[in-house]
Amino acid sequence: MTLRTYSPTTRVKGGASVTDLSANKDSDGAVTRSGLLFTAGVLGVVVALLLMASGFSAELLYLALLTVGLSVISITLFHNKTLRRLLGGRSRMADVADTLLRKDPVFGLFADDGGRVLYLNDAARTLVRPEARGSVASALQPFVADPAPLVARLTAQLAASDHAFEDVVTRRGLVRISVHASKDQTTIWRVQRQSTTGGDSPFDSTSLPMLTSDRKGTVLYLNEPMQRLIGDQIKNFDSLFTRAQPVSGAMNQVQTKDGSQDVFVVAYERGDGRRDVFFMPGVALASQNDWSSFDSLPVPLLKIATDGEVLQANRLAKDQLENEIAPGTRLGALVQGLGRPIKDWLREVSEERATSVTEFLKVTGGKKERYMQVTLNRVIEQGAPVIIAVLHDATELKTLEAQFVQSQKMQAIGQLAGGVAHDFNNLLTAISGHCDLLLLRHDEGDPDFSDLVQINQNTNRAAALVGQLLAFSRKQTLSPELLDLRDTLSDLTHLLNRLVGERIALRLLHDPVLKPIRADKRQLEQVLMNLVVNARDAMPDGGEILVETEVVTLKKPLHRDRAVLPAGEYVVVKVADEGIGIPADKQQKVFEPFYTSKRTGEGTGLGLSTAYGIVKQTGGYIFLDSVVAVGTRFTLYFPAASPASPAEMEKKVPTIPSKLPVSQAEGVVLLVEDEAPVRAFASRALKLRGYTVHEAASAEEALEKLEDKTLDVDIFVTDVIMPGMDGPTWVAQALETRPDVKVIFMSGYAEDAFSDEKKQVEGSVFLPKPFSLSDLTTTVQNQLQGEDA
């Protein structure tokens, strides 16, 4: 029986084998190229013969052959370009496929969008015959007799989702056949056993009869004691019982090989729609003395009175709840989070009018945060109702749910922060730009000069605050350079000593052979200052802060805190204090935005979240270790970089002057900006520099101006995000008729927000907002002169 299910949103990247694809590339390319050349050659000969037979002149024959030859060249060049792009894309995925699939014990293959097999991992090669490796359908024949309809269904589902699967009962047991779509129209197919038989099941060792069924009642697995009890294989779960709806946690009449028999049944629900069902033959609930028999049952059980008092519990229930459950303990003292009194829920179940008998509740009093899936069942004991509660540890499920909710929240806040920062950057560009224009007309002796300087400085502070929002959302524009952390920390020492005060000692310990890293110096300094300030605040009575650097070589990937660090060399920075520490249940929240353990008014809660965003955007990792009353240590991993070359050292010299150049420039600028204040400032600044400026408030207006063939333009200066057509789109259209025009993109977003579009505009440069008058004019000058702005 086939169970069709659909996966919501799971993406798995894949690739193809290096050896497989390289072989295909050589053979397919050679065959296709030779085929094209042969066909074109035959075509040329035929045309020539026809022309000669028809009596055409030698000049006309020459023109015909020339046309055919040019066609051959064009077809070959187009084919080679297309082939290189296709095979280049797949070769980039080759290493990924080899890493993900080759040693995976699960059957896996990599195919193109036409169903042709490109790669088989080791597990698949052992099952698929060489002659059956041409298509996905033939490769799945060891599992499914007629896999073509299955392959067609799953392929059709990929049109609506990037992942689809079906659970199929095969001669090898229950297997899940899944397919994942890649961005390059290729697919990964995997076949994984879902229900095991033989000695692979964790329940084969139990002496209790046990079976596994799906949500439709199909029996997927029987252990050996169950087979001995019923005497035969069964296909449907309900056929075991004399009544249609068996009750979990109660006595049920079961059809065995010796006839009908009363057994105690416990159903253990899984999160994937399956259930494990255990039988307890010969056990009744006639008295409490029989309850001790359940200690051997591998399912946590509670016996609860209708008023909520826990009457008895088996051993696993006590272990799961981390509680000995003294007499008189009520269920409400063990779990919480129902949202209403638990006794109301119990009463509804005992009166058989509950809308839900399963709830996810939080365990109270445990050593760590845990959640339980609690399923209640009503049974009659000595004429009165009692409730049997089946417990299932749902901590991992709730953790994943919380992580998903948190990721959604972080994504939403990140998008909000990015949008707010974009709008603020436009405002700050207009404020700082017009301030620069005023400063050009006032010297230091002017009474208004100091006021203008204050405006300028506070605008820069506001820009730094906006940068924090972008750092949190990981969308700020970085200016990475090769840094020696010893020099960076040495420059910061004076400032850090002032930050920590006299009661706290700051000690630096460096690796003598420290390697450089590639990072934005200003952003990295902000991270280090945030960590040192947090360490200071954690030691109100004084202490020592140790900042240590070292080079660490990972010979194999490091798995920690759901992160995986690839093997290689890293420069590690540790910031440790002797403070009050962070409780274990709070450690997972310290990088969340606006979370702070400080009193109101003492912290914004953005420090560590900003540090986290900067480190991650730099390509690094940050981890936390803390023990209450002992101290806290933050560990930062940055990939080590190669030593700086002389050319890179020269690039560190700033090229943007702080004052407006005296010499005038020449050139025609088409300025496209939807924000009127920013457009007004930029236009005036460029005109003061000597440029001729044509303004447009939208991309459509800019294209309309360019329809005038008499209008000469040397450079486009355009915003990226605008109502209607965006910057890269209109520029690409304009360059079709004016290919020699230079391009500058400006935006309040980070450069990587449109990096793919920008790459299509060759030679363009990026100017981040807010920018100063000098930034704008110098960037335009350098771009027109062909320099790297």
Side-chain angles (χ1 to χ4, degrees), residues 371 396-408:
Y371 289 86
E396 183 177 357
L397 176 63
K398 296 297 288 186
T399 301
L400 291 174
E401 179 184 334
Q403 290 173 2
F404 175 75
V405 172
Q406 175 68 11
S407 68
Q408 294 292 96

Side-chain angles (χ1 to χ4, degrees), residues 225-300:
M226 179 65 80
Q227 295 178 26
R228 290 199 304 266
L229 176 67
I230 64 176
D232 195 9
Q233 292 282 349
I234 61 170
K235 295 184 178 180
N236 190 275
F237 172 74
D238 293 336
S239 63
L240 275 174
F241 300 89
T242 56
R243 62 178 183 176
Q245 297 295 329
V247 178
S248 176
M251 301 298 296
N252 292 266
Q253 197 170 56
V254 177
Q255 297 292 341
T256 70
K257 65 178 181 178
D258 299 324
S260 297
Q261 186 178 142
D262 288 333
V263 299
F264 186 78
V265 177
V266 174
Y268 187 61
E269 298 290 341
R270 294 189 188 178
D272 55 1
R274 294 173 178 79
R275 56 182 171 181
D276 297 326
V277 182
F278 297 89
F279 287 0
M280 293 291 294
V283 176
L285 289 177
S287 67
Q288 293 187 1
N289 294 331
D290 294 325
W291 187 256
S292 59
S293 304
F294 293 107
D295 276 350
S296 60
L297 186 66
V299 178

Side-chain angles (χ1 to χ4, degrees), residues 302-315:
L302 296 177
K303 180 181 178 183
I304 308 170
T306 55
D307 63 355
E309 181 182 353
V310 178
L311 302 176
Q312 292 175 339
N314 71 347
R315 175 179 50 82

Side-chain angles (χ1 to χ4, degrees), residues 455-661:
I455 294 174
N456 188 273
Q457 290 178 349
N458 283 281
T459 303
N460 292 333
R461 290 182 59 191
L465 181 59
V466 173
Q468 280 196 342
L469 287 175
L470 287 172
F472 158 67
S473 61
R474 303 185 210 173
K475 294 180 180 178
Q476 83 273 36
T477 300
L478 298 180
S479 301
E481 57 182 299
L482 286 179
L483 299 176
D484 188 323
L485 282 176
R486 291 171 295 193
D487 297 337
T488 303
L489 287 169
S490 176
D491 295 341
L492 272 179
T493 301
H494 179 67
L495 176 59
L496 294 178
N497 279 322
R498 293 182 59 186
L499 285 174
V500 299
E502 298 178 355
R503 303 177 60 184
I504 295 176
L506 179 66
R507 185 160 64 97
L508 303 180
L509 184 61
H510 292 302
D511 189 327
V513 290
L514 199 64
K515 293 196 172 185
I517 66 172
R518 187 174 296 277
D520 186 306
K521 182 177 180 180
R522 182 174 59 86
Q523 300 287 352
L524 182 60
E525 288 175 346
Q526 181 181 350
V527 171
L528 295 172
M529 284 192 293
N530 281 340
L531 296 179
V532 170
V533 168
N534 280 346
R536 176 202 66 187
D537 295 341
M539 297 186 293
D541 299 327
E544 181 184 78
I545 299 174
L546 174 63
V547 180
E548 182 180 3
T549 62
E550 63 177 332
V551 176
V552 173
T553 302
L554 300 180
K555 295 183 179 179
K556 58 181 181 180
L558 173 64
H559 297 258
R560 178 174 177 184
D561 298 347
R562 300 190 301 275
V564 180
L565 280 69
E569 276 193 319
Y570 292 86
V571 176
V572 178
V573 183
K574 300 177 182 178
V575 180
D577 63 59
E578 302 171 340
I580 57 178
I582 303 173
D585 59 334
K586 300 293 191 298
Q587 292 182 17
Q588 58 185 350
K589 301 179 181 179
V590 296
F591 294 117
E592 294 182 8
F594 310 115
Y595 174 80
T596 178
S597 58
K598 301 175 183 177
R599 292 177 295 182
T600 303
E602 293 185 357
T604 63
L606 281 175
L608 287 177
S609 62
T610 299
Y612 181 86
I614 293 173
V615 171
K616 296 301 290 184
Q617 191 174 6
T618 305
Y621 303 84
I622 182 170
F623 301 108
L624 166 66
D625 298 285
S626 185
V627 179
V628 175
V630 175
T632 301
R633 181 180 65 194
F634 286 91
T635 305
L636 287 67
Y637 285 81
F638 296 100
S642 303
S645 63
E648 288 177 310
M649 295 303 295
E650 290 178 4
K651 288 184 180 181
K652 293 184 179 181
V653 180
T655 58
I656 299 178
S658 58
K659 295 288 185 181
L660 187 67

Side-chain angles (χ1 to χ4, degrees), residues 421-430 432 459-460 462-464 466-467 470 475-477 522 671-679 681-682 717-722 744-751 754 766-772 775-776:
H422 172 262
D423 293 338
F424 267 94
N425 279 332
N426 276 326
L427 296 173
L428 293 174
T429 301
S432 63
T459 303
N460 292 333
V466 173
L470 287 172
K475 294 180 180 178
Q476 83 273 36
T477 300
R522 182 174 59 86
L671 175 65
V672 185
E673 169 62 63
D674 61 305
E675 290 285 341
V678 178
R679 188 172 67 250
F681 149 65
V717 180
T718 176
D719 194 12
V720 176
I721 307 298
M722 296 181 292
I744 295 176
F745 289 113
M746 52 186 182
S747 177
Y749 288 113
E751 182 176 7
F754 70 107
F766 179 73
L767 179 63
K769 296 178 182 178
F771 52 78
S772 66
D775 294 340
L776 174 63

Side-chain angles (χ1 to χ4, degrees), residues 90-394:
R90 287 182 179 170
S91 64
R92 283 193 300 271
M93 300 182 66
D95 292 341
V96 180
D98 220 34
T99 302
L100 290 177
L101 293 179
R102 172 170 290 181
K103 297 303 180 183
D104 191 344
V106 177
F107 180 105
L109 63 86
F110 182 70
D112 61 18
D113 56 347
R116 183 170 65 96
V117 174
L118 302 175
Y119 172 79
L120 292 166
N121 69 354
D122 294 346
R125 289 179 183 275
T126 60
L127 293 176
V128 181
R129 301 187 307 275
E131 62 272 15
R133 296 175 183 176
S135 67
V136 174
S138 60
L140 294 179
Q141 286 179 349
F143 301 94
V144 185
D146 184 16
L150 171 67
V151 172
R153 286 194 303 271
L154 293 177
T155 303
Q157 293 173 25
L158 290 180
S161 174
D162 57 6
H163 175 213
F165 66 85
E166 282 191 16
D167 292 338
V168 183
V169 179
T170 72
R171 54 182 174 270
R172 295 177 179 270
L174 181 72
V175 298
R176 172 167 293 181
I177 300 177
S178 61
V179 57
H180 304 260
S182 301
K183 290 182 178 179
D184 63 342
Q185 297 182 341
T186 52
T187 54
I188 295 178
W189 294 77
R190 303 180 80 237
V191 182
Q192 189 168 8
R193 297 175 67 184
Q194 291 297 103
S195 177
T196 57
T197 58
D200 294 331
S201 172
F203 299 111
D204 279 333
S205 59
T206 181
S207 60
L208 296 172
M210 176 267 173
L211 63 84
T212 300
S213 67
D214 62 18
R215 58 170 57 89
K216 294 184 178 180
T218 303
V219 175
L220 306 176
Y221 168 73
L222 297 171
N223 70 352
E224 187 177 347
M226 179 65 80
Q227 295 178 26
R228 290 199 304 266
L229 176 67
I230 64 176
D232 195 9
Q233 292 282 349
I234 61 170
K235 295 184 178 180
N236 190 275
F237 172 74
D238 293 336
S239 63
L240 275 174
F241 300 89
T242 56
R243 62 178 183 176
Q245 297 295 329
V247 178
S248 176
M251 301 298 296
N252 292 266
Q253 197 170 56
V254 177
Q255 297 292 341
T256 70
K257 65 178 181 178
D258 299 324
S260 297
Q261 186 178 142
D262 288 333
V263 299
F264 186 78
V265 177
V266 174
Y268 187 61
E269 298 290 341
R270 294 189 188 178
D272 55 1
R274 294 173 178 79
R275 56 182 171 181
D276 297 326
V277 182
F278 297 89
F279 287 0
M280 293 291 294
V283 176
L285 289 177
S287 67
Q288 293 187 1
N289 294 331
D290 294 325
W291 187 256
S292 59
S293 304
F294 293 107
D295 276 350
S296 60
L297 186 66
V299 178
L301 294 173
L302 296 177
K303 180 181 178 183
I304 308 170
T306 55
D307 63 355
E309 181 182 353
V310 178
L311 302 176
Q312 292 175 339
N314 71 347
R315 175 179 50 82
L316 280 181
K318 296 176 182 178
D319 292 342
Q320 292 276 25
L321 297 171
E322 298 181 358
N323 197 312
E324 283 301 318
I325 309 180
T329 301
R330 295 188 175 275
L331 182 63
L334 301 175
V335 292
Q336 63 181 12
L338 185 62
R340 60 192 180 104
I342 288 182
K343 64 179 181 180
D344 292 348
W345 183 38
L346 296 174
R347 183 170 59 252
E348 291 173 359
V349 172
S350 65
E351 296 174 359
E352 295 186 324
R353 57 183 181 86
T355 57
S356 174
V357 296
T358 301
E359 296 287 352
F360 290 90
L361 303 176
K362 182 180 180 181
V363 178
T364 60
K367 296 179 181 178
K368 59 181 181 179
E369 191 174 65
R370 299 186 67 182
Y371 289 86
M372 286 291 161
Q373 178 185 352
V374 182
T375 302
L376 303 183
N377 295 279
R378 173 182 178 270
V379 298
I380 301 299
E381 182 183 33
Q382 297 179 353
V386 294
I387 296 172
I388 303 298
V390 182
L391 309 181
H392 174 47
D393 191 347

Side-chain angles (χ1 to χ4, degrees), residues 709-720:
K709 303 300 182 181
T710 63
L711 177 63
D712 291 328
V713 178
D714 298 311
I715 187 169
F716 299 144
V717 180
T718 176
D719 194 12
V720 176

